[in-house]
Amino acid sequence: MTRNVQKKMRRLAMLACSAILLVCVSIGATFAYLTSQDVVTNSFTVGNVAITLDEAKVNADGTPVPNESRVKANEYHLIPGRSYTKDPTVHVGSGSEDCWLFVKVENGISAIEKSGDTTIAKQLEANGWTAVSGAANVYAYASVAKGGDNVPVFSSFTIDSTANVSAYASAKLRITAYAVQAEGFSTAAEAWAVIGA
């Protein structure tokens, strides 16, 4: 081979090596950058307000039945002068949001209750319930209830000893409980306005 051809071959070999070296440096430089990546993912849950209302299981004479689960209704045999256990209680679910509580007490025997501190109305007051203005027979609980709270409404009723109970054979004593989330309402009256019952 002539010297010129050898020189050309060397140049071509050098040029090829330079090109390969340039490609390697470019690839190496790409992998040499420091990089990082991070992600923020939001997940959401929703709250709920959950209550139940029940009372102790009682016999017709108003005495509690031992070791029985609480119930939604009882039947009473009215006798003048007798006291009866009736203890409706609002239970706020353990996972419930804080809430305002209300009860509507439709008392069909109020006219024959024994007067004094044992009336259902007086017991409501003693247990922290106050009448809601402009809402017949509706009472608001004095403070915000929290998950797991058990809030008594009243505990008993007593029939007056002079009552004509025969006129009340079909009378009803009905309690309805309501709850509204506490968030967004500074008073019970504001919260009751959204129920409108």
PDB file of all heavy atoms in Angstrom, residues 34-74:
ATOM      1  N   LEU A  34     -28.658  14.663  36.489  1.00  0.00           N
ATOM      2  CA  LEU A  34     -29.358  14.288  37.708  1.00  0.00           C
ATOM      3  C   LEU A  34     -30.837  14.576  37.494  1.00  0.00           C
ATOM      4  O   LEU A  34     -31.209  15.666  37.066  1.00  0.00           O
ATOM      5  CB  LEU A  34     -28.831  15.096  38.897  1.00  0.00           C
ATOM      6  CG  LEU A  34     -27.352  14.911  39.213  1.00  0.00           C
ATOM      7  CD1 LEU A  34     -26.949  15.848  40.338  1.00  0.00           C
ATOM      8  CD2 LEU A  34     -27.046  13.480  39.579  1.00  0.00           C
ATOM      9  N   THR A  35     -31.679  13.611  37.767  1.00  0.00           N
ATOM     10  CA  THR A  35     -33.117  13.792  37.551  1.00  0.00           C
ATOM     11  C   THR A  35     -33.894  13.373  38.801  1.00  0.00           C
ATOM     12  O   THR A  35     -33.388  12.627  39.634  1.00  0.00           O
ATOM     13  CB  THR A  35     -33.610  12.959  36.351  1.00  0.00           C
ATOM     14  OG1 THR A  35     -33.400  11.590  36.645  1.00  0.00           O
ATOM     15  CG2 THR A  35     -32.906  13.348  35.079  1.00  0.00           C
ATOM     16  N   SER A  36     -35.116  13.851  38.886  1.00  0.00           N
ATOM     17  CA  SER A  36     -35.993  13.483  39.989  1.00  0.00           C
ATOM     18  C   SER A  36     -37.420  13.666  39.526  1.00  0.00           C
ATOM     19  O   SER A  36     -37.694  14.460  38.628  1.00  0.00           O
ATOM     20  CB  SER A  36     -35.703  14.364  41.204  1.00  0.00           C
ATOM     21  OG  SER A  36     -36.553  14.002  42.263  1.00  0.00           O
ATOM     22  N   GLN A  37     -38.328  12.923  40.144  1.00  0.00           N
ATOM     23  CA  GLN A  37     -39.735  13.028  39.783  1.00  0.00           C
ATOM     24  C   GLN A  37     -40.556  12.812  41.041  1.00  0.00           C
ATOM     25  O   GLN A  37     -40.210  12.000  41.884  1.00  0.00           O
ATOM     26  CB  GLN A  37     -40.082  11.969  38.736  1.00  0.00           C
ATOM     27  CG  GLN A  37     -41.514  12.031  38.272  1.00  0.00           C
ATOM     28  CD  GLN A  37     -41.780  11.039  37.157  1.00  0.00           C
ATOM     29  OE1 GLN A  37     -40.891  10.708  36.383  1.00  0.00           O
ATOM     30  NE2 GLN A  37     -42.996  10.558  37.088  1.00  0.00           N
ATOM     31  N   ASP A  38     -41.670  13.541  41.166  1.00  0.00           N
ATOM     32  CA  ASP A  38     -42.540  13.392  42.333  1.00  0.00           C
ATOM     33  C   ASP A  38     -43.967  13.658  41.890  1.00  0.00           C
ATOM     34  O   ASP A  38     -44.205  14.402  40.947  1.00  0.00           O
ATOM     35  CB  ASP A  38     -42.124  14.387  43.429  1.00  0.00           C
ATOM     36  CG  ASP A  38     -42.659  13.990  44.788  1.00  0.00           C
ATOM     37  OD1 ASP A  38     -43.331  12.949  44.895  1.00  0.00           O
ATOM     38  OD2 ASP A  38     -42.419  14.747  45.757  1.00  0.00           O
ATOM     39  N   VAL A  39     -44.932  13.033  42.577  1.00  0.00           N
ATOM     40  CA  VAL A  39     -46.344  13.181  42.219  1.00  0.00           C
ATOM     41  C   VAL A  39     -47.149  13.431  43.493  1.00  0.00           C
ATOM     42  O   VAL A  39     -46.881  12.815  44.521  1.00  0.00           O
ATOM     43  CB  VAL A  39     -46.874  11.894  41.536  1.00  0.00           C
ATOM     44  CG1 VAL A  39     -48.370  12.008  41.262  1.00  0.00           C
ATOM     45  CG2 VAL A  39     -46.118  11.623  40.258  1.00  0.00           C
ATOM     46  N   VAL A  40     -48.110  14.330  43.422  1.00  0.00           N
ATOM     47  CA  VAL A  40     -49.071  14.517  44.502  1.00  0.00           C
ATOM     48  C   VAL A  40     -50.421  14.024  43.999  1.00  0.00           C
ATOM     49  O   VAL A  40     -50.898  14.476  42.961  1.00  0.00           O
ATOM     50  CB  VAL A  40     -49.187  16.004  44.908  1.00  0.00           C
ATOM     51  CG1 VAL A  40     -50.325  16.187  45.888  1.00  0.00           C
ATOM     52  CG2 VAL A  40     -47.889  16.491  45.510  1.00  0.00           C
ATOM     53  N   THR A  41     -51.006  13.078  44.720  1.00  0.00           N
ATOM     54  CA  THR A  41     -52.312  12.557  44.347  1.00  0.00           C
ATOM     55  C   THR A  41     -53.263  12.815  45.494  1.00  0.00           C
ATOM     56  O   THR A  41     -52.989  12.430  46.630  1.00  0.00           O
ATOM     57  CB  THR A  41     -52.246  11.042  44.065  1.00  0.00           C
ATOM     58  OG1 THR A  41     -51.290  10.817  43.031  1.00  0.00           O
ATOM     59  CG2 THR A  41     -53.597  10.509  43.652  1.00  0.00           C
ATOM     60  N   ASN A  42     -54.367  13.473  45.224  1.00  0.00           N
ATOM     61  CA  ASN A  42     -55.352  13.748  46.260  1.00  0.00           C
ATOM     62  C   ASN A  42     -56.435  12.688  46.236  1.00  0.00           C
ATOM     63  O   ASN A  42     -56.893  12.277  45.174  1.00  0.00           O
ATOM     64  CB  ASN A  42     -56.000  15.118  46.032  1.00  0.00           C
ATOM     65  CG  ASN A  42     -54.988  16.229  46.153  1.00  0.00           C
ATOM     66  OD1 ASN A  42     -54.215  16.258  47.089  1.00  0.00           O
ATOM     67  ND2 ASN A  42     -54.978  17.130  45.199  1.00  0.00           N
ATOM     68  N   SER A  43     -56.824  12.239  47.424  1.00  0.00           N
ATOM     69  CA  SER A  43     -57.971  11.350  47.512  1.00  0.00           C
ATOM     70  C   SER A  43     -58.981  12.003  48.434  1.00  0.00           C
ATOM     71  O   SER A  43     -58.631  12.837  49.265  1.00  0.00           O
ATOM     72  CB  SER A  43     -57.565   9.966  48.022  1.00  0.00           C
ATOM     73  OG  SER A  43     -56.960  10.086  49.287  1.00  0.00           O
ATOM     74  N   PHE A  44     -60.231  11.661  48.284  1.00  0.00           N
ATOM     75  CA  PHE A  44     -61.289  12.325  49.021  1.00  0.00           C
ATOM     76  C   PHE A  44     -62.191  11.306  49.688  1.00  0.00           C
ATOM     77  O   PHE A  44     -62.429  10.219  49.162  1.00  0.00           O
ATOM     78  CB  PHE A  44     -62.145  13.186  48.085  1.00  0.00           C
ATOM     79  CG  PHE A  44     -61.352  14.260  47.390  1.00  0.00           C
ATOM     80  CD1 PHE A  44     -60.795  14.026  46.137  1.00  0.00           C
ATOM     81  CD2 PHE A  44     -61.134  15.481  47.996  1.00  0.00           C
ATOM     82  CE1 PHE A  44     -60.050  15.003  45.500  1.00  0.00           C
ATOM     83  CE2 PHE A  44     -60.396  16.468  47.363  1.00  0.00           C
ATOM     84  CZ  PHE A  44     -59.854  16.227  46.114  1.00  0.00           C
ATOM     85  N   THR A  45     -62.677  11.657  50.878  1.00  0.00           N
ATOM     86  CA  THR A  45     -63.721  10.884  51.522  1.00  0.00           C
ATOM     87  C   THR A  45     -64.880  11.845  51.779  1.00  0.00           C
ATOM     88  O   THR A  45     -64.710  13.055  51.707  1.00  0.00           O
ATOM     89  CB  THR A  45     -63.247  10.300  52.871  1.00  0.00           C
ATOM     90  OG1 THR A  45     -62.864  11.380  53.737  1.00  0.00           O
ATOM     91  CG2 THR A  45     -62.075   9.354  52.671  1.00  0.00           C
ATOM     92  N   VAL A  46     -66.034  11.303  52.055  1.00  0.00           N
ATOM     93  CA  VAL A  46     -67.164  12.161  52.370  1.00  0.00           C
ATOM     94  C   VAL A  46     -67.649  11.836  53.767  1.00  0.00           C
ATOM     95  O   VAL A  46     -67.590  10.691  54.213  1.00  0.00           O
ATOM     96  CB  VAL A  46     -68.322  12.008  51.355  1.00  0.00           C
ATOM     97  CG1 VAL A  46     -67.908  12.527  50.002  1.00  0.00           C
ATOM     98  CG2 VAL A  46     -68.773  10.567  51.242  1.00  0.00           C
ATOM     99  N   GLY A  47     -68.088  12.850  54.457  1.00  0.00           N
ATOM    100  CA  GLY A  47     -68.602  12.652  55.802  1.00  0.00           C
ATOM    101  C   GLY A  47     -70.060  12.252  55.777  1.00  0.00           C
ATOM    102  O   GLY A  47     -70.715  12.235  54.744  1.00  0.00           O
ATOM    103  N   ASN A  48     -70.575  11.916  56.942  1.00  0.00           N
ATOM    104  CA  ASN A  48     -71.992  11.625  57.054  1.00  0.00           C
ATOM    105  C   ASN A  48     -72.465  11.969  58.459  1.00  0.00           C
ATOM    106  O   ASN A  48     -71.664  12.097  59.377  1.00  0.00           O
ATOM    107  CB  ASN A  48     -72.301  10.162  56.710  1.00  0.00           C
ATOM    108  CG  ASN A  48     -71.745   9.199  57.743  1.00  0.00           C
ATOM    109  OD1 ASN A  48     -71.940   9.365  58.942  1.00  0.00           O
ATOM    110  ND2 ASN A  48     -71.044   8.176  57.301  1.00  0.00           N
ATOM    111  N   VAL A  49     -73.735  12.145  58.585  1.00  0.00           N
ATOM    112  CA  VAL A  49     -74.357  12.340  59.882  1.00  0.00           C
ATOM    113  C   VAL A  49     -75.273  11.147  60.075  1.00  0.00           C
ATOM    114  O   VAL A  49     -76.131  10.867  59.235  1.00  0.00           O
ATOM    115  CB  VAL A  49     -75.155  13.662  59.920  1.00  0.00           C
ATOM    116  CG1 VAL A  49     -75.962  13.761  61.189  1.00  0.00           C
ATOM    117  CG2 VAL A  49     -74.214  14.852  59.791  1.00  0.00           C
ATOM    118  N   ALA A  50     -75.049  10.409  61.162  1.00  0.00           N
ATOM    119  CA  ALA A  50     -75.814   9.182  61.380  1.00  0.00           C
ATOM    120  C   ALA A  50     -76.324   9.128  62.814  1.00  0.00           C
ATOM    121  O   ALA A  50     -75.545   9.218  63.753  1.00  0.00           O
ATOM    122  CB  ALA A  50     -74.939   7.964  61.090  1.00  0.00           C
ATOM    123  N   ILE A  51     -77.643   9.003  62.953  1.00  0.00           N
ATOM    124  CA  ILE A  51     -78.249   8.851  64.273  1.00  0.00           C
ATOM    125  C   ILE A  51     -79.240   7.699  64.260  1.00  0.00           C
ATOM    126  O   ILE A  51     -79.741   7.306  63.206  1.00  0.00           O
ATOM    127  CB  ILE A  51     -78.985  10.133  64.741  1.00  0.00           C
ATOM    128  CG1 ILE A  51     -80.121  10.503  63.783  1.00  0.00           C
ATOM    129  CG2 ILE A  51     -78.010  11.278  64.934  1.00  0.00           C
ATOM    130  CD1 ILE A  51     -81.084  11.559  64.316  1.00  0.00           C
ATOM    131  N   THR A  52     -79.498   7.171  65.435  1.00  0.00           N
ATOM    132  CA  THR A  52     -80.599   6.227  65.635  1.00  0.00           C
ATOM    133  C   THR A  52     -81.341   6.659  66.891  1.00  0.00           C
ATOM    134  O   THR A  52     -80.787   7.350  67.749  1.00  0.00           O
ATOM    135  CB  THR A  52     -80.114   4.772  65.790  1.00  0.00           C
ATOM    136  OG1 THR A  52     -79.183   4.696  66.873  1.00  0.00           O
ATOM    137  CG2 THR A  52     -79.461   4.259  64.518  1.00  0.00           C
ATOM    138  N   LEU A  53     -82.587   6.246  66.998  1.00  0.00           N
ATOM    139  CA  LEU A  53     -83.422   6.558  68.152  1.00  0.00           C
ATOM    140  C   LEU A  53     -84.045   5.259  68.626  1.00  0.00           C
ATOM    141  O   LEU A  53     -84.598   4.499  67.824  1.00  0.00           O
ATOM    142  CB  LEU A  53     -84.510   7.560  67.743  1.00  0.00           C
ATOM    143  CG  LEU A  53     -85.537   7.946  68.805  1.00  0.00           C
ATOM    144  CD1 LEU A  53     -84.879   8.782  69.905  1.00  0.00           C
ATOM    145  CD2 LEU A  53     -86.678   8.734  68.173  1.00  0.00           C
ATOM    146  N   ASP A  54     -83.925   4.979  69.918  1.00  0.00           N
ATOM    147  CA  ASP A  54     -84.544   3.783  70.465  1.00  0.00           C
ATOM    148  C   ASP A  54     -84.895   4.010  71.924  1.00  0.00           C
ATOM    149  O   ASP A  54     -84.639   5.078  72.479  1.00  0.00           O
ATOM    150  CB  ASP A  54     -83.644   2.549  70.289  1.00  0.00           C
ATOM    151  CG  ASP A  54     -82.303   2.682  70.992  1.00  0.00           C
ATOM    152  OD1 ASP A  54     -82.187   3.458  71.965  1.00  0.00           O
ATOM    153  OD2 ASP A  54     -81.345   2.003  70.587  1.00  0.00           O
ATOM    154  N   GLU A  55     -85.525   2.991  72.542  1.00  0.00           N
ATOM    155  CA  GLU A  55     -85.874   3.068  73.955  1.00  0.00           C
ATOM    156  C   GLU A  55     -85.820   1.670  74.554  1.00  0.00           C
ATOM    157  O   GLU A  55     -85.807   0.668  73.826  1.00  0.00           O
ATOM    158  CB  GLU A  55     -87.262   3.688  74.133  1.00  0.00           C
ATOM    159  CG  GLU A  55     -88.385   2.916  73.478  1.00  0.00           C
ATOM    160  CD  GLU A  55     -89.712   3.672  73.505  1.00  0.00           C
ATOM    161  OE1 GLU A  55     -89.707   4.914  73.582  1.00  0.00           O
ATOM    162  OE2 GLU A  55     -90.761   2.997  73.441  1.00  0.00           O
ATOM    163  N   ALA A  56     -85.795   1.619  75.870  1.00  0.00           N
ATOM    164  CA  ALA A  56     -85.761   0.335  76.564  1.00  0.00           C
ATOM    165  C   ALA A  56     -87.050  -0.440  76.297  1.00  0.00           C
ATOM    166  O   ALA A  56     -88.132   0.135  76.206  1.00  0.00           O
ATOM    167  CB  ALA A  56     -85.588   0.556  78.066  1.00  0.00           C
ATOM    168  N   LYS A  57     -86.915  -1.761  76.182  1.00  0.00           N
ATOM    169  CA  LYS A  57     -88.078  -2.639  76.045  1.00  0.00           C
ATOM    170  C   LYS A  57     -88.761  -2.712  77.400  1.00  0.00           C
ATOM    171  O   LYS A  57     -88.125  -2.965  78.424  1.00  0.00           O
ATOM    172  CB  LYS A  57     -87.622  -4.026  75.582  1.00  0.00           C
ATOM    173  CG  LYS A  57     -88.695  -5.071  75.567  1.00  0.00           C
ATOM    174  CD  LYS A  57     -89.671  -4.841  74.450  1.00  0.00           C
ATOM    175  CE  LYS A  57     -90.708  -5.968  74.395  1.00  0.00           C
ATOM    176  NZ  LYS A  57     -91.900  -5.567  73.689  1.00  0.00           N
ATOM    177  N   VAL A  58     -90.079  -2.442  77.426  1.00  0.00           N
ATOM    178  CA  VAL A  58     -90.822  -2.474  78.684  1.00  0.00           C
ATOM    179  C   VAL A  58     -92.060  -3.356  78.566  1.00  0.00           C
ATOM    180  O   VAL A  58     -92.567  -3.609  77.469  1.00  0.00           O
ATOM    181  CB  VAL A  58     -91.241  -1.060  79.146  1.00  0.00           C
ATOM    182  CG1 VAL A  58     -90.026  -0.180  79.391  1.00  0.00           C
ATOM    183  CG2 VAL A  58     -92.196  -0.409  78.174  1.00  0.00           C
ATOM    184  N   ASN A  59     -92.548  -3.788  79.728  1.00  0.00           N
ATOM    185  CA  ASN A  59     -93.827  -4.488  79.801  1.00  0.00           C
ATOM    186  C   ASN A  59     -94.945  -3.465  79.677  1.00  0.00           C
ATOM    187  O   ASN A  59     -94.719  -2.257  79.788  1.00  0.00           O
ATOM    188  CB  ASN A  59     -93.942  -5.233  81.145  1.00  0.00           C
ATOM    189  CG  ASN A  59     -92.916  -6.340  81.254  1.00  0.00           C
ATOM    190  OD1 ASN A  59     -92.816  -7.193  80.382  1.00  0.00           O
ATOM    191  ND2 ASN A  59     -92.150  -6.318  82.337  1.00  0.00           N
ATOM    192  N   ALA A  60     -96.181  -3.926  79.523  1.00  0.00           N
ATOM    193  CA  ALA A  60     -97.325  -3.028  79.377  1.00  0.00           C
ATOM    194  C   ALA A  60     -97.510  -2.128  80.597  1.00  0.00           C
ATOM    195  O   ALA A  60     -98.067  -1.039  80.487  1.00  0.00           O
ATOM    196  CB  ALA A  60     -98.591  -3.829  79.107  1.00  0.00           C
ATOM    197  N   ASP A  61     -97.017  -2.569  81.767  1.00  0.00           N
ATOM    198  CA  ASP A  61     -97.143  -1.744  82.968  1.00  0.00           C
ATOM    199  C   ASP A  61     -95.995  -0.737  83.096  1.00  0.00           C
ATOM    200  O   ASP A  61     -95.881  -0.026  84.091  1.00  0.00           O
ATOM    201  CB  ASP A  61     -97.238  -2.610  84.221  1.00  0.00           C
ATOM    202  CG  ASP A  61     -95.962  -3.401  84.503  1.00  0.00           C
ATOM    203  OD1 ASP A  61     -94.993  -3.314  83.710  1.00  0.00           O
ATOM    204  OD2 ASP A  61     -95.933  -4.111  85.523  1.00  0.00           O
ATOM    205  N   GLY A  62     -95.120  -0.686  82.095  1.00  0.00           N
ATOM    206  CA  GLY A  62     -94.043   0.296  82.070  1.00  0.00           C
ATOM    207  C   GLY A  62     -92.772  -0.121  82.762  1.00  0.00           C
ATOM    208  O   GLY A  62     -91.835   0.668  82.860  1.00  0.00           O
ATOM    209  N   THR A  63     -92.700  -1.365  83.240  1.00  0.00           N
ATOM    210  CA  THR A  63     -91.466  -1.833  83.883  1.00  0.00           C
ATOM    211  C   THR A  63     -90.529  -2.396  82.820  1.00  0.00           C
ATOM    212  O   THR A  63     -90.964  -3.109  81.900  1.00  0.00           O
ATOM    213  CB  THR A  63     -91.756  -2.913  84.944  1.00  0.00           C
ATOM    214  OG1 THR A  63     -92.438  -4.016  84.328  1.00  0.00           O
ATOM    215  CG2 THR A  63     -92.588  -2.355  86.081  1.00  0.00           C
ATOM    216  N   PRO A  64     -89.233  -2.085  82.923  1.00  0.00           N
ATOM    217  CA  PRO A  64     -88.273  -2.573  81.925  1.00  0.00           C
ATOM    218  C   PRO A  64     -88.169  -4.102  81.911  1.00  0.00           C
ATOM    219  O   PRO A  64     -88.274  -4.749  82.950  1.00  0.00           O
ATOM    220  CB  PRO A  64     -86.945  -1.965  82.379  1.00  0.00           C
ATOM    221  CG  PRO A  64     -87.313  -0.816  83.258  1.00  0.00           C
ATOM    222  CD  PRO A  64     -88.610  -1.201  83.905  1.00  0.00           C
ATOM    223  N   VAL A  65     -88.003  -4.652  80.701  1.00  0.00           N
ATOM    224  CA  VAL A  65     -87.786  -6.084  80.544  1.00  0.00           C
ATOM    225  C   VAL A  65     -86.277  -6.319  80.623  1.00  0.00           C
ATOM    226  O   VAL A  65     -85.533  -5.788  79.803  1.00  0.00           O
ATOM    227  CB  VAL A  65     -88.336  -6.589  79.188  1.00  0.00           C
ATOM    228  CG1 VAL A  65     -88.074  -8.078  79.036  1.00  0.00           C
ATOM    229  CG2 VAL A  65     -89.823  -6.268  79.061  1.00  0.00           C
ATOM    230  N   PRO A  66     -85.814  -7.081  81.639  1.00  0.00           N
ATOM    231  CA  PRO A  66     -84.365  -7.260  81.805  1.00  0.00           C
ATOM    232  C   PRO A  66     -83.719  -7.970  80.614  1.00  0.00           C
ATOM    233  O   PRO A  66     -84.320  -8.850  79.993  1.00  0.00           O
ATOM    234  CB  PRO A  66     -84.243  -8.120  83.068  1.00  0.00           C
ATOM    235  CG  PRO A  66     -85.603  -8.248  83.648  1.00  0.00           C
ATOM    236  CD  PRO A  66     -86.585  -7.812  82.618  1.00  0.00           C
ATOM    237  N   ASN A  67     -82.487  -7.578  80.321  1.00  0.00           N
ATOM    238  CA  ASN A  67     -81.644  -8.231  79.299  1.00  0.00           C
ATOM    239  C   ASN A  67     -82.242  -8.239  77.901  1.00  0.00           C
ATOM    240  O   ASN A  67     -81.942  -9.131  77.110  1.00  0.00           O
ATOM    241  CB  ASN A  67     -81.303  -9.664  79.726  1.00  0.00           C
ATOM    242  CG  ASN A  67     -80.643  -9.716  81.080  1.00  0.00           C
ATOM    243  OD1 ASN A  67     -79.781  -8.907  81.393  1.00  0.00           O
ATOM    244  ND2 ASN A  67     -81.072 -10.655  81.914  1.00  0.00           N
ATOM    245  N   GLU A  68     -83.098  -7.287  77.607  1.00  0.00           N
ATOM    246  CA  GLU A  68     -83.679  -7.186  76.260  1.00  0.00           C
ATOM    247  C   GLU A  68     -83.006  -6.058  75.495  1.00  0.00           C
ATOM    248  O   GLU A  68     -82.602  -5.047  76.070  1.00  0.00           O
ATOM    249  CB  GLU A  68     -85.182  -6.920  76.337  1.00  0.00           C
ATOM    250  CG  GLU A  68     -86.019  -8.122  76.697  1.00  0.00           C
ATOM    251  CD  GLU A  68     -86.082  -9.155  75.597  1.00  0.00           C
ATOM    252  OE1 GLU A  68     -86.085  -8.792  74.397  1.00  0.00           O
ATOM    253  OE2 GLU A  68     -86.127 -10.357  75.931  1.00  0.00           O
ATOM    254  N   SER A  69     -82.917  -6.221  74.198  1.00  0.00           N
ATOM    255  CA  SER A  69     -82.376  -5.164  73.341  1.00  0.00           C
ATOM    256  C   SER A  69     -83.335  -3.985  73.324  1.00  0.00           C
ATOM    257  O   SER A  69     -84.536  -4.138  73.550  1.00  0.00           O
ATOM    258  CB  SER A  69     -82.194  -5.679  71.912  1.00  0.00           C
ATOM    259  OG  SER A  69     -81.270  -6.734  71.894  1.00  0.00           O
ATOM    260  N   ARG A  70     -82.774  -2.816  73.021  1.00  0.00           N
ATOM    261  CA  ARG A  70     -83.603  -1.620  72.922  1.00  0.00           C
ATOM    262  C   ARG A  70     -84.492  -1.716  71.685  1.00  0.00           C
ATOM    263  O   ARG A  70     -84.160  -2.413  70.729  1.00  0.00           O
ATOM    264  CB  ARG A  70     -82.710  -0.381  72.916  1.00  0.00           C
ATOM    265  CG  ARG A  70     -82.012  -0.220  74.281  1.00  0.00           C
ATOM    266  CD  ARG A  70     -81.091   0.954  74.347  1.00  0.00           C
ATOM    267  NE  ARG A  70     -81.788   2.231  74.271  1.00  0.00           N
ATOM    268  CZ  ARG A  70     -82.376   2.855  75.297  1.00  0.00           C
ATOM    269  NH1 ARG A  70     -82.378   2.305  76.489  1.00  0.00           N
ATOM    270  NH2 ARG A  70     -82.967   4.018  75.124  1.00  0.00           N
ATOM    271  N   VAL A  71     -85.622  -1.024  71.717  1.00  0.00           N
ATOM    272  CA  VAL A  71     -86.638  -1.189  70.680  1.00  0.00           C
ATOM    273  C   VAL A  71     -87.066   0.155  70.099  1.00  0.00           C
ATOM    274  O   VAL A  71     -86.700   1.219  70.610  1.00  0.00           O
ATOM    275  CB  VAL A  71     -87.880  -1.933  71.248  1.00  0.00           C
ATOM    276  CG1 VAL A  71     -87.510  -3.342  71.675  1.00  0.00           C
ATOM    277  CG2 VAL A  71     -88.507  -1.153  72.400  1.00  0.00           C
ATOM    278  N   LYS A  72     -87.870   0.086  69.051  1.00  0.00           N
ATOM    279  CA  LYS A  72     -88.412   1.275  68.395  1.00  0.00           C
ATOM    280  C   LYS A  72     -89.817   1.625  68.886  1.00  0.00           C
ATOM    281  O   LYS A  72     -90.313   2.711  68.608  1.00  0.00           O
ATOM    282  CB  LYS A  72     -88.472   1.055  66.876  1.00  0.00           C
ATOM    283  CG  LYS A  72     -87.119   0.893  66.231  1.00  0.00           C
ATOM    284  CD  LYS A  72     -86.428   2.206  66.167  1.00  0.00           C
ATOM    285  CE  LYS A  72     -85.146   2.123  65.374  1.00  0.00           C
ATOM    286  NZ  LYS A  72     -84.408   3.364  65.407  1.00  0.00           N
ATOM    287  N   ALA A  73     -90.493   0.711  69.590  1.00  0.00           N
ATOM    288  CA  ALA A  73     -91.855   0.972  70.050  1.00  0.00           C
ATOM    289  C   ALA A  73     -92.194   0.078  71.237  1.00  0.00           C
ATOM    290  O   ALA A  73     -91.649  -1.018  71.374  1.00  0.00           O
ATOM    291  CB  ALA A  73     -92.844   0.734  68.922  1.00  0.00           C
ATOM    292  N   ASN A  74     -93.085   0.570  72.079  1.00  0.00           N
ATOM    293  CA  ASN A  74     -93.630  -0.183  73.204  1.00  0.00           C
ATOM    294  C   ASN A  74     -95.128   0.065  73.268  1.00  0.00           C
ATOM    295  O   ASN A  74     -95.631   1.049  72.724  1.00  0.00           O
ATOM    296  CB  ASN A  74     -92.996   0.278  74.528  1.00  0.00           C
ATOM    297  CG  ASN A  74     -91.635  -0.330  74.769  1.00  0.00           C
ATOM    298  OD1 ASN A  74     -91.490  -1.534  74.872  1.00  0.00           O
ATOM    299  ND2 ASN A  74     -90.617   0.523  74.858  1.00  0.00           N
TER     300      ASN A  74
END
